Amino acid sequence: MKQKYNYSLFLILVLFLGRAQSLKVEHRINKDNSVEFFYEKTEYNTHTIILNFGYLNNTSASDKVIKRVSNKTGKLLKIRPIDSQQQIGFNYSVRYYNFAVNPKIDNDFIYILPFEKGQKMQVEPLVNLGVISSNRQFMAKNFKAVSFTSSNAVDIYPARKGVVIEITNSYTPDLSKNFVYHNKMNYITIEHNDGSLARYSGFDKNSMKVSLGQSVYPTITNMGTTAIYDKSMLHRINFYVCYVNTKDGIKLMDLNNYKLLEMVFIDPVFFHKNNNAALDFNALYESDFNEATLFQNFNKRQIRNYKKGKLIN
């Protein structure tokens, strides 16, 4: 029997942009007078690095370099001298952002409903109350977020392959009250290979099964189980997908502060009953998938291991 829940749901989105320093850049002068620049970061999410040279001499290198980096350590660039007998004169500053800025989004991607095949959950809309970022108001564009609701605990799986970049696991629900909205929910944030970010909020803190930096896969990786939301005793997982762009077509070369950024929301297309469509609100959905949908972004080895029933990593 179809269950219908009529709740006005609200969501405040928190995007952590100004955390403690998570990246450092160092340089090395080589014997041939070339200079190499290296980075090291503490977080697993992609960083956009802008290296700005205030002064350059004896080199034809550009005075501004932009790189997106995903690995924890690596080389940013190498600049060479025009006159190899003389050192390069330079000074530089570094600005970075804790995400991919202006990523090339895969708009044709088909998502899988984030619960087990055959499981049903109710879809409800979420209304934006604002986006808070390090005590700054961060512009939200084309806001879109949903809540998947059930009367029972449900295991939650990624809607898309990605890497876990953020986990909050400290909240226990207050079952003495009914809430129109609260943001004290345990959540997991996943970064996809195109630079988009998915947030899943509403886990039982004792059930979360993933770790930072872990690769996760739809229908394969059980991330955890939903928690009871409030006195209503309903279970809820809030979900959205977004990415970060510069405002008004501003070029990355000209980006110098967070006020020039906006958070753009995606209206995901889901696989449902052999059709691909955006979700209808106030409807009951049953999770399903086919191999073509599941194997998006899988490499050949992962597909081969999946078909053999082996561990995917």
Side-chain angles (χ1 to χ4, degrees):
M1 181 179 177
K2 181 176 178 179
Q3 301 179 63
K4 191 171 183 67
Y5 307 113
N6 294 314
Y7 284 84
S8 296
L9 303 180
F10 299 86
L11 181 65
I12 288 180
L13 304 175
V14 181
L15 188 63
F16 294 99
L17 307 180
R19 292 173 284 197
Q21 184 171 338
S22 62
L23 179 140
K24 65 179 180 180
V25 173
E26 296 178 333
H27 68 272
R28 180 180 68 200
I29 300 175
N30 299 318
K31 290 182 179 180
D32 64 358
N33 284 327
S34 64
V35 183
E36 292 179 287
F37 295 82
F38 301 88
Y39 74 89
E40 180 178 355
K41 63 187 181 70
T42 60
E43 297 176 335
Y44 291 93
N45 45 300
T46 295
H47 284 41
T48 300
I49 303 174
I50 302 175
L51 194 66
N52 187 51
F53 289 95
Y55 168 73
L56 280 173
N57 184 47
N58 191 32
T59 181
S60 59
S62 173
D63 61 358
K64 186 169 286 190
V65 176
I66 299 172
K67 297 282 186 178
R68 292 192 187 96
V69 298
S70 297
N71 295 329
K72 296 293 283 291
T73 62
K75 184 167 75 173
L76 279 176
L77 77 154
K78 182 177 184 177
I79 59 176
R80 300 181 183 277
I82 296 172
D83 180 355
S84 62
Q85 302 304 309
Q86 301 293 324
Q87 287 192 343
I88 297 172
F90 66 95
N91 62 40
Y92 65 100
S93 60
V94 177
R95 176 177 289 274
Y96 69 90
Y97 301 86
N98 303 53
F99 36 77
V101 181
N102 292 351
K104 294 181 179 179
I105 297 300
D106 182 359
N107 293 312
D108 296 323
F109 194 89
I110 308 301
Y111 291 76
I112 295 175
L113 288 164
F115 34 94
E116 287 185 290
K117 186 173 184 176
Q119 172 71 48
K120 296 179 180 180
M121 296 191 81
Q122 183 87 4
V123 175
E124 306 287 349
L126 290 169
V127 178
N128 184 25
L129 290 184
V131 180
I132 296 175
S133 165
S134 306
N135 297 320
R136 304 177 181 93
Q137 189 69 22
F138 195 67
M139 180 71 71
K141 185 176 181 180
N142 302 327
F143 178 80
K144 188 76 174 183
V146 299
S147 182
F148 296 104
T149 306
S150 173
S151 57
N152 301 308
V154 175
D155 290 334
I156 299 300
Y157 294 75
R160 176 177 178 176
K161 173 185 170 183
V163 175
V164 177
I165 62 168
E166 207 172 28
I167 299 173
T168 290
N169 186 22
S170 57
Y171 296 118
T172 301
D174 182 354
L175 305 184
S176 66
K177 301 175 183 177
N178 281 313
F179 294 97
V180 172
Y181 158 80
H182 71 76
N183 65 348
K184 295 182 178 180
M185 303 176 77
N186 300 313
Y187 64 80
I188 294 170
T189 306
I190 294 174
E191 181 179 276
H192 307 137
N193 70 333
D194 65 354
S196 59
L197 307 168
R199 171 72 63 84
Y200 304 75
S201 303
F203 290 95
D204 184 327
K205 72 175 183 178
N206 298 315
S207 75
M208 300 173 81
K209 300 176 181 179
V210 295
S211 56
L212 290 172
Q214 179 180 341
S215 294
V216 293
Y217 303 87
T219 82
I220 296 170
T221 308
N222 184 343
M223 298 192 296
T225 305
T226 56
I228 296 172
Y229 184 73
D230 60 11
K231 191 177 179 180
S232 70
M233 304 304 288
L234 294 175
H235 289 254
R236 190 184 311 284
I237 196 82
N238 293 339
F239 174 79
Y240 67 84
V241 185
C242 69
Y243 59 96
V244 178
N245 262 6
T246 52
K247 292 181 184 177
D248 303 321
I250 294 170
K251 295 181 180 180
L252 269 176
M253 298 287 281
D254 300 323
L255 180 61
N256 57 23
N257 67 72
Y258 287 103
K259 294 180 180 180
L260 301 179
L261 296 172
E262 62 186 3
M263 190 174 179
V264 183
F265 288 82
I266 295 171
D267 189 1
V269 172
F270 286 87
F271 182 92
H272 181 62
K273 294 182 178 180
N274 292 316
N275 293 309
N276 303 321
L279 296 175
D280 292 327
F281 292 141
N282 303 314
L284 194 64
Y285 277 83
E286 179 177 340
S287 183
D288 195 8
F289 64 92
N290 57 21
E291 284 194 349
T293 305
L294 174 61
F295 292 152
Q296 295 171 106
N297 297 339
F298 280 43
N299 60 40
K300 291 181 179 179
R301 179 180 56 80
Q302 291 167 338
I303 293 172
R304 194 164 52 244
N305 286 346
Y306 177 85
K307 290 183 174 181
K308 291 180 179 180
K310 295 182 179 180
L311 181 67
I312 307 294
N313 52 36

